[in-house]
Amino acid sequence: MFLKNAWYVAAWDHEVSNTLKQIMVLGEKICIYRNSRNEVIALDDACPHRKLPLSKGRLKGDQVECGYHGLTFDCAGKCVWAPGTGRIPSNANVHAYPTHEKYGLVWIWMGNPAMADATEIFEIEHWGDPAWGINRGQAMELPCNYLLMCDNLLDPTHVAWVHAGSFAQDATKDTPLRVTKTDNGIIVHRWMMNVEPAPFYKKVVPFTGNCDRLQHYEVRYPSHALIRAVFTPAGTGGPDGPLHKDTFIMDSLNFMTPTSATETRYYWFQLRNIRPDDDALSAMMTEDVQHAFEEDRAILTEVQIGMTNKTTPHIDLPIDGGQLRFRRKLEAMIAEEQAVDIKMQQ
């Protein structure tokens, strides 16, 4: 169901403190907190004795004490104290998950800890560049499978109907799409030439008149997306050559963390190449984007219900090519990972 040997977002960094907290990732309950060195610790949220969640216990220094019988675990998940006079059972430990902080996010590795490599975390091109502004909002709870949101982020066409008042324009209905397969994901993209800027972007592009617009929708395995919007004065765009000096670029970063088979936590922020210190612009963009995401949430909520309760098969269209390629590759990666796990257990 899920690819485990991969980095997922566990939380915004400000959501994790020196208080025990339960989060859900890939259907697994995890106890997460910060130790005295401000490091993020993530443990299986179940005491091995009677399975009381460790998040219902208490912190004793950097160690977690179970609230039922006091079994105590260090930051690596090793049980260092148990009641009674006998030795601590060798199987009293809990699993510890590797974590890493980057981009204001806490990342967690759900698979084999020996394979966790923080250099493999999604690389963001303009992060920390003082010439680029940033806006972000709170994580969103989506009542749908994470792959439905991945589908949505490989689908430039849906904006014509779902986001008519923000991202849409006539050209988004039928301009042909190009699909590119990369080593780590799928890109669906297209240039729309000499068109009026969409309503959301008309308020922020640094030029007037028509534009050439690039929609770059990229999703990387297992569930991370870069949506790049490029607007340049009409006649200056296209895949070849340098962009105009007044080109507006917005990179929307999207990280989908499956919490269960039918629920997803969605983290996002955006980088733009104009007015980096304009707080009013950032606030406006955040508000408008959150409104658009609510439109997505309303649609995907109903799609999940429809797919769960369908009585006839659903169909695919030519515009679904990128989504289908992404799903097939991810399914193969999950199957390969599970086969390796079975072989190692034999």
Side-chain angles (χ1 to χ4, degrees), residues 89-109:
S90 61
N91 58 352
N93 303 324
V94 295
H95 183 75
Y97 299 86
T99 64
H100 187 78
E101 293 190 66
K102 195 172 186 178
Y103 312 129
L105 297 163
V106 175
W107 297 78
I108 189 167
W109 182 271

Side-chain angles (χ1 to χ4, degrees), residues 116-305:
D117 181 355
T119 65
E120 295 180 358
I121 291 175
F122 194 110
E123 192 65 32
I124 298 177
E125 182 179 358
H126 297 290
W127 178 262
D129 186 337
W132 286 64
I134 186 170
N135 62 287
R136 70 188 95 198
Q138 296 181 346
M140 294 180 62
E141 306 294 338
L142 302 175
C144 67
N145 183 276
Y146 75 109
L147 287 174
L148 291 179
M149 192 64 204
C150 291
D151 289 347
N152 195 67
L153 293 173
L154 281 170
D155 177 19
T157 303
H158 84 275
V159 302
W161 291 272
V162 179
H163 307 303
S166 55
F167 301 146
Q169 58 195 124
D170 287 343
T172 58
K173 294 181 180 180
D174 51 19
T175 301
L177 299 169
R178 296 186 61 187
V179 178
T180 302
K181 183 178 179 181
T182 70
D183 290 340
N184 54 14
I186 297 292
I187 301 172
V188 179
H189 54 114
R190 62 182 170 188
W191 275 97
M192 296 171 287
M193 311 302 286
N194 193 22
V195 296
E196 185 179 2
F200 172 86
Y201 298 103
K202 186 178 290 187
K203 296 184 290 184
V204 297
V205 295
F207 58 87
T208 59
N210 281 3
C211 69
D212 296 336
R213 174 185 180 182
L214 171 67
Q215 283 183 301
H216 174 106
Y217 281 43
E218 177 179 357
V219 182
R220 301 179 192 173
Y221 310 113
S223 52
H224 311 318
L226 164 65
I227 310 301
R228 173 166 290 167
V230 176
F231 287 79
T232 186
T236 65
D240 301 320
L243 295 173
H244 192 275
K245 64 180 179 64
D246 290 332
T247 295
F248 170 75
I249 303 174
M250 185 179 78
D251 285 349
S252 179
L253 287 308
N254 309 262
F255 307 104
M256 284 68 68
T257 299
T259 52
S260 74
T262 57
E263 296 170 302
T264 303
R265 200 158 198 247
Y266 180 23
Y267 303 83
W268 66 274
F269 57 85
Q270 294 173 318
L271 297 168
R272 63 180 185 273
N273 70 332
I274 63 167
R275 296 155 60 184
D277 300 319
D278 191 332
D279 293 339
L281 175 61
S282 295
M284 182 197 73
M285 293 179 69
T286 294
E287 181 179 357
D288 287 356
V289 168
Q290 286 177 324
H291 176 73
F293 287 168
E294 289 297 336
E295 294 171 334
D296 283 322
R297 174 155 57 183
I299 292 293
L300 295 178
T301 298
E302 296 301 325
V303 169
Q304 179 66 65
I305 294 171

